[in-house]
Amino acid sequence: MECKNCELRQRQFYCENCLRAHLRDFRLQTQHFTSDRDEQVAKASKALLAVEPARLIRATLARSQERVEELLDGLAKLKRDNESKRDALRSMRENLATRRRTLSAAKLLPTPPLEYSTAKETQELMALSNTLSRARSGLVQELVEVFNVVEVGGRPPIGGRAGTKGEWTIGDLILPVPGDIRRYPPDHINAVITHTVHFLGLLTFYLGIKLPFEIQWSGKRFGVGQPWIGACKGTESGSWAKWSAKHPLHLSSSNLSSSPSSSPSPSSPPSPTTPLPASISDSYTETSPSSQKSFTTAFAMLLYNVCYLAHTQSVEIPLSQAGDVLSNLWAVCCSPDLGRRSHETTPLLAPPTPTSFQLDFAQLLQATTASPASRPRGRGPGARQSPIVRSPRRQERIPEEEEGWDLVDDVGDGFG
């Protein structure tokens, strides 16, 4: 070597000639290895070309094996489904065979005539209806005893003399007819109407009757607050369904005031057995015509409910007696057909009110709102009276009953 540095052991520096020599050697080696690489690549390519058909065959075989496994799984599932369906079909065949045997045995039995079946069902239905009627009658009797609905102060017909009617009370409170409401303080009227509304609500609940006018309470619960009344949905028969607005079935102290001359205190209501004197019969006068009209309309709705309830129990109440609420309710409770027909049990009643119920609400309202000021204050035979304003105490005869009265020698105006 001509370079002295190259001759050193460190060989840290190369000369230009040495670098050329090294690059030439590396280039020769690279060419040699490149030719070897190309030869090996060519050999490998030839080998792969020879193996490719076998690889494709093996891949196809693997895919076919997977497909076969999927088909086997589907076949097993179908077999299970077929077994379950076969079991269900076997069960259905057994049930069908049992039914056929039962049908064949039934055909061999003698068939009862249709008239016999219908008569038997009718008898069972009548027996059930009678049982319901007796149960309802028992509940109604207990209800009458609880509310103590009685007639006081009258006299039965004895010795050819005509009987007189007394005052009807509920809970020891007199419920007057519409024309006599002025004779009682508001507290008395509200209390007796509340008793009557409770009694009527329980009575209709026991009998399963739906009334044309529905009662709601200001407390949103039955018996809580003050009662309001209005028509529910119904037919046009009776001209009551259009009165859907709620009216107060109660009086307030602001609506009623006593006359300054002779006004009894509300804390001491009239005695339930003694009528007020004629001098104070009009003591309680209403100061608000609109409130009077609204309450009178509500009271007429209550009268209409009672008359319709009586009609459902085969008790017909004429217009002239519609104002005797407690008397009419007593007639309902004593009806021989009590509880036989209902809106909830067979035989079903038509919705309120059917055409067979002839009472028109407009006529009842007109009779109820008749002004008592236009009538004479006297109670003599010549006094003119509205159909349901005053109760005919001395003019009507009470039918004599077979039992219930004890005849004595001296009989006054009281009970015997």
Side-chain angles (χ1 to χ4, degrees):
M1 301 290 291
E2 296 179 359
C3 181
K4 296 180 178 182
N5 292 328
C6 295
E7 294 179 357
L8 297 177
R9 292 185 179 182
Q10 290 82 7
R11 303 184 71 176
Q12 298 179 355
F13 300 99
Y14 294 93
C15 63
E16 184 177 358
N17 293 329
C18 291
L19 289 175
R20 287 194 187 96
H22 285 300
L23 289 176
R24 185 177 59 254
D25 295 338
F26 285 139
R27 192 176 296 110
L28 291 174
Q29 292 177 2
T30 301
Q31 292 176 356
H32 176 71
F33 289 129
T34 301
S35 60
D36 292 341
R37 184 198 63 189
D38 294 339
E39 183 179 359
Q40 295 296 330
V41 168
K43 291 180 179 180
S45 298
K46 290 181 181 180
L48 288 175
L49 290 175
V51 175
E52 186 68 21
R55 291 179 60 194
L56 293 175
I57 293 173
R58 286 195 295 271
T60 304
L61 181 62
R63 288 196 300 269
S64 301
Q65 187 68 25
E66 293 177 356
R67 179 61 179 169
V68 169
E69 292 178 357
E70 292 179 356
L71 292 176
L72 290 176
D73 293 339
L75 181 61
K77 184 177 180 180
L78 288 175
K79 287 182 178 180
R80 291 192 297 269
D81 294 342
N82 290 337
E83 288 295 333
S84 61
K85 292 180 179 179
R86 194 176 290 110
D87 294 339
L89 181 60
R90 188 182 301 109
S91 177
M92 293 175 63
R93 286 178 178 175
E94 292 176 356
N95 293 336
L96 181 60
T98 303
R99 292 182 179 181
R100 286 177 177 175
R101 289 193 297 268
T102 305
L103 183 60
S104 300
K107 288 180 178 179
L108 297 177
L109 295 175
T111 303
L114 181 61
E115 295 79 4
Y116 175 77
S117 301
T118 305
K120 184 177 179 181
E121 294 177 356
T122 304
Q123 291 177 358
E124 293 178 354
L125 184 60
M126 290 298 296
L128 180 59
S129 178
N130 293 333
T131 303
L132 288 176
S133 177
R134 289 193 298 270
R136 288 168 175 167
S137 299
L139 291 174
V140 170
Q141 290 178 4
E142 294 181 359
L143 185 65
V144 172
E145 293 178 359
V146 169
F147 280 85
N148 193 24
V149 179
V150 295
E151 183 182 12
V152 296
R155 178 175 57 78
I158 299 176
R161 294 189 302 170
T164 58
K165 282 191 173 182
E167 297 284 359
W168 282 92
T169 62
I170 179 171
D172 297 331
L173 295 176
I174 297 176
L175 179 60
V177 294
D180 290 340
I181 290 180
R182 292 170 172 264
R183 303 169 54 228
Y184 296 85
D187 294 339
H188 177 95
I189 298 300
N190 290 337
V192 71
I193 286 181
T194 301
H195 289 339
T196 306
V197 168
H198 278 283
F199 179 83
L200 184 61
L202 292 174
L203 182 59
T204 54
F205 174 74
Y206 291 156
L207 298 179
I209 300 298
K210 180 177 178 59
L211 299 177
F213 290 99
E214 181 182 9
I215 297 177
Q216 297 181 356
W217 296 84
S218 58
K220 304 300 182 182
R221 293 182 180 180
F222 181 79
V224 179
Q226 295 174 331
W228 294 70
I229 188 170
C232 59
K233 294 182 179 179
T235 60
E236 295 296 331
S237 179
S239 68
W240 58 270
K242 61 183 178 181
W243 295 83
S244 58
K246 301 298 180 182
H247 293 270
L249 195 57
H250 59 274
L251 294 174
S252 60
S253 300
S254 60
N255 293 338
L256 294 178
S257 63
S258 302
S259 63
S261 59
S262 59
S263 59
S265 62
S267 60
S268 59
S271 172
T273 58
T274 305
L276 289 178
S279 60
I280 62 171
S281 61
D282 293 331
S283 298
Y284 296 93
T285 57
E286 298 183 10
T287 59
S288 175
S290 59
S291 300
Q292 174 189 1
K293 183 177 180 181
S294 184
F295 172 76
T296 306
T297 303
F299 197 76
M301 294 177 179
L302 179 63
L303 301 181
Y304 195 82
N305 276 350
V306 174
C307 293
Y308 174 69
L309 176 63
H311 172 75
T312 61
Q313 306 305 312
S314 302
V315 178
E316 298 300 332
I317 305 297
L319 180 62
S320 59
Q321 298 179 6
D324 297 330
V325 178
L326 296 181
S327 177
N328 296 335
L329 289 176
W330 176 268
V332 171
C333 298
C334 297
S335 173
D337 294 332
L338 182 66
R340 293 189 179 275
R341 294 183 299 171
S342 169
H343 288 112
E344 298 179 355
T345 57
T346 304
L348 292 174
L349 286 174
T353 57
T355 55
S356 58
F357 184 59
Q358 299 296 330
L359 183 59
D360 188 81
F361 178 72
Q363 298 178 359
L364 178 61
L365 180 61
Q366 182 180 4
T368 307
T369 54
S371 176
S374 61
R375 305 187 319 276
R377 294 194 178 184
R379 291 176 175 265
R384 298 173 56 190
Q385 297 182 357
S386 179
I388 62 173
V389 171
R390 294 289 186 183
S391 59
R393 298 180 186 172
R394 305 290 181 179
Q395 300 298 328
E396 294 188 6
R397 181 182 299 271
I398 301 177
E400 187 172 359
E401 300 178 348
E402 295 180 358
E403 57 182 3
W405 298 100
D406 296 330
L407 300 181
V408 297
D409 295 336
D410 296 333
V411 179
D413 292 336
F415 284 112

